[in-house]
Amino acid sequence: MITLFSWFNSLPLTIRIYISIGLFFLAISLVFVLAIQVSQLLKRVNTRFKRRYMDEIQKEISLLVVQSSMSEVPEASFRFKLERLISLTRKSDYLAQLILNEIVSMKKNLVGESAVYLKRAYLELGLFDLSVKKVRSRNWKRIAKGLRELEIMEQVDALHHFIIFLNHSNYYLRREARLSLAGLAPNPMFFLDNFSESLSDWEKLLLFEKLKRRPREVIPDFSKWYYHQNYTVVTFCIEMTVQFGQVHNIEKLEHLLTISNHQLRCLIVDALRRMEAIQSLEIVSEILKKATTSKMIIACLKFIGSIGDDSFSELLQPFARNSNLYVRLEAVRALTEIDGKIDLTSFAINSMLSHIKHPLIV
Amino acid sequence: MKQILVCEDDGALISMIRFKLQKDKIGEVTMAQDGREAIDLLKEKEYDMIISDIHMPYHSGLELLTYIRNDLGRNTPFIILSAEGLEKTVMQAFNLGVSDFLTKPFSPNELSMRVSRLIPE
């Protein structure tokens, strides 16, 4: 060692600096390699540990659900099977978390008696407390996971946990709270009353997915928010009116057509068409007569094309000669749909008809 | 014992279906965790019933159904499990020759009843 140092000291300064830098980087690379190796080893051990228990956990939960529902003494059978899961939960928090993940994952796909047993197991294994612990943590991802678990396990008693996140500074937590409430609360959309931020298309879709799974009686009357100050809330409510077939709101939608927002009016005409609002034919034809933008004209033409009859043929004729190609196309389509007379001598009507009747377009 | 192939990528659910069908003495369950594994198993052996998720890695449930009906020319009863109950998807599945369609979340008792009704004696 001493010889090595004396040899190193005998070297010129520049060489010594080069060697030191080289050794420094070599040491850093070794530390990195070691860290990667240790992390891989830990991951492997973790996966092996998880696999070892995973099969057992899945089997125990399946047996708990299946046997309890088939047994002549369901309560005794449930208790007996639960004991094994209780002993696993007590072994470590990690195993309790694995059991929680499996129960939540299974609950998502099951209804009926099996879902009831899963909910009971969730409570009796103390997994509810584990979810609440997550909700109380500082990490937003853990909080979101906890909220989702509580919602999937239908813990109505935990609604206050969701409500406090409605005004949280983190967008994802606010969104998660809204989605969970839509999936769980007895009045699922109450948060819309004072909702001021923008509802993204993605969130609208997720909310709809949640509402679709709720019983019909808890679905709110969406006309309540037709005059909401938030434009995204209004568009969402119009869409939900269509999706949940709230035909009693057709008249309210017609009233909404008096507002000045052009985009919203187009959306309403489209909603009325999808709700097959035959009673709105007169209003929509009046709008068509006064319409100035191609978007509104097209929406009205689509409406009349799908609901109207050949008595509207005269009204539609001029639009088949409109300067805008899309308006012309929609007018011809509407005329063919209502079996209206197409009198267009100066128009390449045959090619247009074959074009719009093409299966890929229809 | 009837042979049932269950294609589903959710381990917990597959385990539950297996226990339910075996406990009800409907048949012996073989599991496939993705469409590719299911096709490999189908090439080797003919099953009495197939239960498949619609969304799976590599090949969807509908692709698997098309493969069985068109490529293998088998009329094996086929049940689709799906989280989406869109009319379009249901119609597409029935047009392709699916025997039954079950929307998630479902009741294991209902699945068991539907399987026993469809499985050949």
Side-chain angles (χ1 to χ4, degrees), chain A residues 233-295:
Chain A
V233 170
V234 181
T235 56
F236 173 71
C237 291
I238 292 172
E239 184 57 34
M240 290 304 104
T241 304
V242 178
Q243 293 296 340
F244 288 100
Q246 295 184 344
V247 285
H248 59 275
N249 283 331
I250 287 177
E251 211 174 310
K252 288 176 184 165
L253 282 173
E254 286 172 355
H255 282 298
L256 200 58
L257 276 168
T258 52
I259 56 156
S260 59
N261 189 320
H262 174 259
Q263 218 172 342
L264 201 59
R265 292 173 73 218
C266 291
L267 207 73
I268 298 165
V269 173
D270 191 55
L272 290 170
R273 173 182 63 81
R274 290 192 289 149
M275 290 166 88
E276 298 177 355
I278 198 154
Q279 62 269 50
S280 311
L281 263 167
E282 208 175 306
I283 294 174
V284 175
S285 13
E286 284 306 312
I287 293 172
L288 178 63
K289 283 177 197 164
K290 291 171 194 162
T292 48
T293 65
S294 57
K295 204 175 170 190

Side-chain angles (χ1 to χ4, degrees), chain A residues 58-63 65-67 69-70 102 105-114 209 212-213, chain B residues 8 10-17 19-20 23-24 83-86 103-110:
Chain A
Q58 284 179 352
K59 191 178 146 194
E60 291 298 332
I61 298 173
S62 302
L63 281 172
V65 171
V66 173
Q67 282 194 340
S69 59
M70 289 174 76
E102 288 308 302
S105 160
M106 217 180 257
K107 172 71 180 62
K108 267 195 283 191
N109 294 313
L110 301 178
V111 286
E113 210 179 352
S114 316
E209 283 299 317
K212 248 188 355 188
R213 290 167 190 254
Chain B
E8 167 69 61
D10 182 340
L13 188 62
I14 218 169
S15 154
M16 215 288 309
I17 295 174
F19 276 101
K20 181 67 187 161
K23 281 275 166 197
D24 286 353
E84 55 158 302
L86 285 176
T103 313
K104 288 181 194 171
F106 62 91
S107 147
N109 290 334
E110 188 185 344

Side-chain angles (χ1 to χ4, degrees), chain B residues 65-118:
Chain B
L65 175 63
T66 315
Y67 174 77
I68 294 165
R69 297 284 185 260
N70 299 346
D71 296 26
L72 299 177
R74 291 182 197 159
N75 274 323
T76 318
F78 197 109
I79 297 181
I80 288 262
L81 296 175
S82 171
E84 55 158 302
L86 285 176
E87 188 190 357
K88 196 179 155 190
T89 319
V90 180
M91 296 303 281
Q92 197 186 356
F94 279 104
N95 281 334
L96 289 169
V98 80
S99 317
D100 209 344
F101 196 103
L102 207 55
T103 313
K104 288 181 194 171
F106 62 91
S107 147
N109 290 334
E110 188 185 344
L111 174 73
S112 176
M113 290 284 276
R114 286 179 190 240
V115 172
S116 53
R117 194 173 55 87
L118 286 168

Side-chain angles (χ1 to χ4, degrees), chain A residues 295-310:
Chain A
K295 204 175 170 190
M296 180 54 97
I297 296 172
I298 288 172
C300 294
L301 288 172
K302 275 188 179 170
F303 180 93
I304 295 171
S306 65
I307 297 167
D309 54 31
D310 58 355

